[in-house]
Amino acid sequence: MTVTIQRNDPCLCGSGKKYKKCCMNKENVVQLQQVKEERFSQKKHRLTEKLRSFIDSKLSFNQEQTLLNQFKRRTDREISERAEQMFFDFWLYFFHRYENGLRGIEWFANEQASKLSEDELELIKVWASLQPRLVEAIDKTDSSIVFKDMLTQEILPVPFPSEQLHSFFPWYGTFALVEPVGEQYFFHGVNVMSSPEKIEQAKRKIEELQEKNQDQRTVLYDYYLEILTASIKNPDTVLREMREMSIYKIHADLLDEKKVAGYFYELGELTIDEWNETKMQAGWIKNWKVYKDSEIDEDVVMADVFGDVMIADQTLTFSCYSKETKEAFLAKLKEVDMYVGNVTEEQEMLTIPMKAELHNTMIKMGENVPPYVALYAQTVGMIDVERDIPKYDHLSLRELVKQNRVEEADRWLKQTEYHTYLMAEEEYGEVTFTADFNSIRKTLGLPLSPFVTGGASRKSSIDETNPQNEKPKLVTEEEAELYESLGFAPETFNTFYTEDILSFYNEKASGRAKNTVKKYRDSLYDIREALEHSGYENWAEVDDEFWEKVIVNDFYNINGPASKSHIKEFLSTVKMFTKWIDKKNKTKVAKDVAAFISTVEQELLDGAELVAHFIPFYRSHGAVNEKMSELARILRNIDGQYEEIIEGKFQVTKKNKSSLRLTALYDDNVSSFTAKLAPELIQFVHEA
């Protein structure tokens, strides 16, 4: 639908003004600005092509190759092949000084001035005056990213998103020419965005070069390639220090796998990953913590994984990174040494970067918590303001602040925030909120990050908590048969209702007659099936509405048409079970459930009587087919002469002596109709 609005109509934005005095002008301004930007871009492109042709005409092939080799040497070949030609051309145009002492842009302006328009001359003048800037993002608005010049402290808002700037990361920066256009700035030519750590590295390079008593402008132009390289080169490649760490492994032959497995299963330090007849795997877990964040409604539970245990094929294997953990596990193994044969140890060496740490964390969180919160919790959880940082003379963040080295503490947090955002985007794509670094900044008294969702009001914390390593229930072969008869599978052995259903069954059916056992088994099977698909997590959530749905809907979806005796048995079990649950779990549903059953029981039994006329369960197969044929003949005799049998659920809106007026409940394509029914069966039908 297209909406046409006249100049004098009220503006659609709701301001109360006429369209001509409100958004019409704004739209014209936006359209005009877009046209201006497009034309300006085209003008820049045409002028760049003239500059390119001029430089190409001045360089022979050998001269260009000599300059390219110099470019590669001075950049330590850090520029990727894909970007190399662009940066090489950019250097030739704006930074390299030729034998005449002029930069490419200056040489072009001197020789081509007579061939350029006034607008082009003005643009060339602006380009020649541009100074390289080392900038870092310090804020983000709806329409721009605000950068700060690391050397002059000038504030430079750059439109975002734009052709030059189409991605964002907290605190990222670049070394580039920055062109002022009105009240905004644009990156001119080519540039690459880098991490806070690399931008700091480039800043140190500039300071190092300035110590040679050269003014800043000269350093930025003449050493553009060296500063560019420092802004993109991974610091680890500048000075790569490696260290070795040990992986400890224990192998034990088991004389009695069942005894050993049972012992380790009961250990409080073990959290079970998988535990069955063929494979048993668990983590050696300690240091339980809970992560709370104002951006999520649920807590996240975390713990440190010190080692991994696996038992399979009469062999136990344990691996860890700590000698202390290995010794602690061997002490545990001695508790069952009578069931253990040969024990061997081995030590493998792993080479990792000097600054790297191997830290294995187990995380538990609810289904409604975004998956990237695990990354946030783990990252923030590993930040200990008291832990020493090798890079900063082994001082902690708190010590850096106390010793007035605030800038270094701030830089470390910026790099961590940048890296966390990068990992979240790479792993999960777009995220709805960022990690919280402001709580840590508040603790240290540092300026808050503008890139943290929630700003100053954001709160998160990590506190110690009790172990939350509830283990799956182990069942004997005899118990497994009972679980299976009630419909339980291994993955549902530990639900909130499992033990209650089993206890109720054993209490009511143990030692009873065969028919009594069947009654409770079948009824509890149906109740378990309904609970399994309910999504509830505890008995407090299981209200009377759930039981009403089980009685009038789920029971029939599970069983299909049921006999009167089957219905009576099920209703009786439901009443007893809800009363039993109320007493055990302090809930209050049994009374309402019993009242509901007394209201609908007769209708359910009459319905069973009616269905039994057409589907007599205890008659022969031939008789069933005969009755079904009779039902088909009745349905075909509906007003309107339907050709096919109509299937579904129907509401009885009216009943007469020998017919029913029916309405389909879940099919909009079937209107109300009349069905004939034998007068002796009408008594079993109830109007809605």
Side-chain angles (χ1 to χ4, degrees):
M1 180 178 71
T2 301
V3 177
T4 303
I5 182 170
Q6 303 299 323
R7 289 168 49 83
N8 291 317
D9 290 344
C11 189
L12 294 176
C13 75
S15 66
K17 299 178 182 179
K18 290 184 178 180
Y19 175 60
K20 67 182 181 181
K21 296 198 177 208
C22 191
C23 288
M24 185 178 81
N25 293 329
K26 295 177 185 176
E27 291 172 5
N28 288 339
V29 169
V30 171
Q31 292 173 4
L32 180 61
Q33 182 65 26
Q34 290 174 343
V35 171
K36 284 182 178 180
E37 289 179 4
E38 186 176 343
R39 289 178 179 173
F40 182 66
S41 178
Q42 292 172 352
K43 186 189 299 184
K44 288 176 63 175
H45 178 71
R46 288 193 296 268
L47 188 56
T48 302
E49 287 302 312
K50 291 181 181 181
L51 176 58
R52 184 194 307 276
S53 298
F54 174 80
I55 298 298
D56 286 347
S57 70
K58 297 297 183 180
L59 295 176
S60 67
F61 176 79
N62 288 337
Q63 287 175 320
E64 184 174 347
Q65 289 303 306
T66 298
L67 288 171
L68 179 59
N69 289 333
Q70 181 188 156
F71 174 88
K72 291 182 176 181
R73 176 178 53 80
R74 291 179 62 188
T75 58
D76 290 339
R77 299 182 181 273
E78 287 290 330
I79 309 294
S80 67
E81 291 185 10
R82 182 177 60 84
E84 185 180 81
Q85 187 63 48
M86 292 187 293
F87 276 100
F88 176 60
D89 290 343
F90 190 56
W91 174 63
L92 292 180
Y93 303 160
F94 293 96
F95 299 98
H96 176 66
R97 292 191 180 275
Y98 296 86
E99 292 180 358
N100 57 14
L102 299 175
R103 294 181 294 128
I105 186 72
E106 296 168 342
W107 191 3
F108 174 70
N110 284 355
E111 291 197 10
Q112 299 294 309
S114 61
K115 299 178 182 179
L116 300 176
S117 67
E118 290 185 9
D119 287 346
E120 288 176 329
L121 280 172
E122 186 64 29
L123 201 53
I124 284 293
K125 183 179 178 181
V126 171
W127 289 2
S129 68
L130 296 180
Q131 180 173 317
R133 291 180 181 267
L134 183 67
V135 299
E136 179 181 68
I138 61 167
D139 202 355
K140 183 175 180 290
T141 69
D142 292 338
S143 59
S144 66
I145 295 175
V146 181
F147 289 87
K148 181 176 74 173
D149 189 313
M150 300 285 286
L151 305 176
T152 68
Q153 308 304 308
E154 290 178 79
I155 303 301
L156 312 170
V158 179
F160 175 82
S162 65
E163 184 179 350
Q164 294 92 353
L165 199 60
H166 50 78
S167 64
F168 162 76
F169 296 97
W171 307 111
Y172 70 168
T174 187
F175 181 57
L177 292 178
V178 181
E179 182 175 359
V181 180
E183 296 181 355
Q184 294 183 314
Y185 295 81
F186 292 82
F187 292 116
H188 182 84
V190 293
N191 68 289
V192 58
M193 289 294 173
S194 297
S195 69
E197 185 178 35
K198 293 176 182 177
I199 296 302
E200 178 65 21
Q201 182 173 257
K203 184 182 177 183
R204 290 197 301 270
K205 185 67 176 179
I206 294 172
E207 293 170 348
E208 173 191 319
L209 292 168
Q210 280 190 267
E211 289 178 359
K212 298 177 181 179
N213 298 318
Q214 298 189 53
D215 68 271
Q216 190 176 92
R217 182 179 176 84
T218 301
V219 166
L220 296 177
Y221 275 112
D222 292 354
Y223 294 94
Y224 166 76
L225 293 181
E226 286 75 14
I227 300 169
L228 172 67
T229 303
S231 74
I232 63 176
K233 193 171 187 177
N234 191 330
D236 288 341
T237 64
V238 178
L239 181 61
R240 184 180 294 276
E241 298 180 25
M242 305 298 289
R243 68 182 178 93
E244 287 191 333
M245 70 172 297
S246 299
I247 302 177
Y248 299 95
K249 292 187 176 180
I250 298 171
H251 302 280
D253 297 331
L254 303 183
L255 304 177
D256 190 329
E257 181 179 282
K258 190 174 181 180
K259 292 283 188 182
V260 175
Y263 167 76
F264 279 103
Y265 180 87
E266 296 297 333
L267 285 180
E269 297 96 329
L270 250 63
T271 295
I272 305 302
D273 297 325
E274 181 180 358
W275 209 269
N276 53 51
E277 292 180 0
T278 58
K279 182 180 179 183
M280 288 151 275
Q281 192 164 347
W284 188 273
I285 310 292
K286 294 182 180 180
N287 303 336
W288 289 83
K289 302 179 183 70
V290 59
Y291 173 77
K292 299 176 182 287
D293 194 318
S294 55
E295 287 294 318
I296 56 176
D297 297 327
E298 304 177 47
D299 295 344
V300 176
V301 177
M302 342 168 30
D304 296 328
V305 180
F306 282 75
D308 294 295
V309 182
M310 188 172 76
I311 299 175
D313 299 325
Q314 303 299 318
T315 302
L316 179 148
T317 303
F318 178 75
S319 60
C320 64
Y321 297 114
S322 162
K323 187 175 182 179
E324 291 76 13
T325 303
K326 181 202 73 170
E327 296 298 334
F329 186 84
L330 284 172
K332 295 292 183 183
L333 196 59
K334 285 183 180 179
E335 296 292 328
V336 287
D337 59 355
M338 69 287 292
Y339 307 119
V340 177
N342 188 40
V343 177
T344 59
E345 299 180 38
E346 63 176 297
Q347 181 177 346
E348 297 178 1
M349 302 308 295
L350 183 66
T351 303
I352 63 173
M354 181 64 71
K355 300 176 186 177
E357 293 183 25
L358 290 181
H359 193 86
N360 193 2
T361 304
M362 185 207 69
I363 295 181
K364 294 181 179 182
M365 56 188 192
E367 294 181 358
N368 296 325
V369 178
Y372 48 84
V373 172
L375 171 64
Y376 296 169
Q378 188 171 12
T379 302
V380 176
M382 290 180 64
I383 298 177
D384 182 353
V385 297
E386 309 296 346
R387 181 188 300 168
D388 69 294
I389 304 173
K391 180 179 180 180
Y392 298 123
D393 305 322
H394 292 277
L395 296 176
S396 68
L397 288 173
R398 193 181 296 280
E399 289 169 333
L400 286 172
V401 173
K402 285 182 178 179
Q403 295 188 20
N404 210 24
R405 295 170 64 175
V406 173
E407 191 172 321
E408 290 169 296
D410 184 65
R411 179 65 53 184
W412 190 90
L413 286 172
K414 285 179 177 179
Q415 177 64 24
T416 307
E417 183 176 355
Y418 166 88
H419 188 61
T420 303
Y421 189 100
L422 178 65
M423 288 193 297
E425 186 175 84
E426 288 180 347
E427 181 70 23
Y428 305 104
E430 186 176 355
V431 297
T432 56
F433 59 91
T434 61
D436 176 28
F437 287 85
N438 280 346
S439 293
I440 298 169
R441 287 178 170 274
K442 290 175 188 176
T443 300
L444 295 170
L446 296 176
L448 301 185
S449 167
F451 306 115
V452 170
T453 304
S457 62
R458 180 72 173 274
K459 294 181 180 179
S460 66
S461 64
I462 293 184
D463 301 301
E464 293 184 2
T465 188
N466 295 324
Q468 299 185 31
N469 55 344
E470 183 179 346
K471 295 179 173 65
K473 180 178 177 61
L474 294 180
V475 298
T476 63
E477 291 184 8
E478 183 180 348
E479 290 174 328
E481 291 181 8
L482 174 58
Y483 275 70
E484 185 177 345
S485 70
L486 293 172
F488 287 102
E491 59 270 19
T492 59
F493 282 0
N494 294 283
T495 63
F496 73 91
Y497 51 83
T498 304
E499 285 299 326
D500 285 333
I501 287 179
L502 290 170
S503 297
F504 179 81
Y505 175 83
N506 288 327
E507 181 181 312
K508 300 296 182 182
S510 180
R512 302 296 178 89
K514 185 176 180 180
N515 287 340
T516 301
V517 171
K518 183 178 184 302
K519 165 190 170 180
Y520 287 110
R521 185 189 63 221
D522 293 349
S523 298
L524 291 172
Y525 183 102
D526 297 342
I527 291 171
R528 189 270 317 154
E529 185 77 11
L531 286 166
E532 189 172 308
H533 292 88
S534 69
Y536 294 141
E537 297 183 356
N538 54 67
W539 285 116
E541 297 178 4
V542 184
D543 55 14
D544 55 323
E545 291 185 2
F546 165 80
W547 290 109
E548 291 174 10
K549 178 175 174 292
V550 169
I551 292 165
V552 301
N553 189 64
D554 295 347
F555 174 75
Y556 295 97
N557 287 338
I558 296 168
N559 296 283
S563 66
K564 292 173 69 173
S565 61
H566 189 180
I567 294 172
K568 287 180 179 180
E569 289 176 350
F570 179 71
L571 296 179
S572 172
T573 302
V574 168
K575 285 193 287 186
M576 286 189 290
F577 184 67
T578 53
K579 187 175 181 180
W580 189 89
I581 290 295
D582 275 359
K583 183 177 180 180
K584 182 178 181 296
N585 296 286
K586 310 301 181 184
T587 52
K588 297 180 180 180
V589 297
K591 187 175 180 180
D592 290 335
V593 171
F596 178 75
I597 289 175
S598 66
T599 302
V600 300
E601 183 172 11
Q602 189 56 52
E603 292 186 23
L604 297 176
L605 296 176
D606 287 346
E609 184 69 34
L610 178 63
V611 171
H613 179 76
F614 299 102
I615 313 176
F617 290 98
Y618 304 108
R619 298 178 189 176
S620 67
H621 181 71
V624 171
N625 285 340
E626 180 182 343
K627 288 296 182 180
M628 289 301 294
S629 298
E630 181 183 343
L631 176 59
R633 287 195 297 273
I634 292 174
L635 291 173
R636 288 196 182 96
N637 196 26
I638 297 170
D639 290 352
Q641 299 301 312
Y642 282 88
E643 295 280 329
E644 301 176 355
I645 294 177
I646 302 174
E647 296 181 324
K649 292 185 177 181
F650 307 95
Q651 185 178 59
V652 178
T653 56
K654 187 177 181 181
K655 68 175 184 177
N656 299 310
K657 291 182 178 180
S658 60
S659 65
L660 304 172
R661 190 65 182 170
L662 306 175
T663 300
L665 290 177
Y666 307 114
D667 192 345
D668 294 335
N669 296 319
V670 180
S671 58
S672 298
F673 55 88
T674 301
K676 292 183 179 179
L677 191 64
E680 64 270 19
L681 298 179
I682 290 291
Q683 61 177 312
F684 300 119
V685 178
H686 296 259
E687 292 181 2

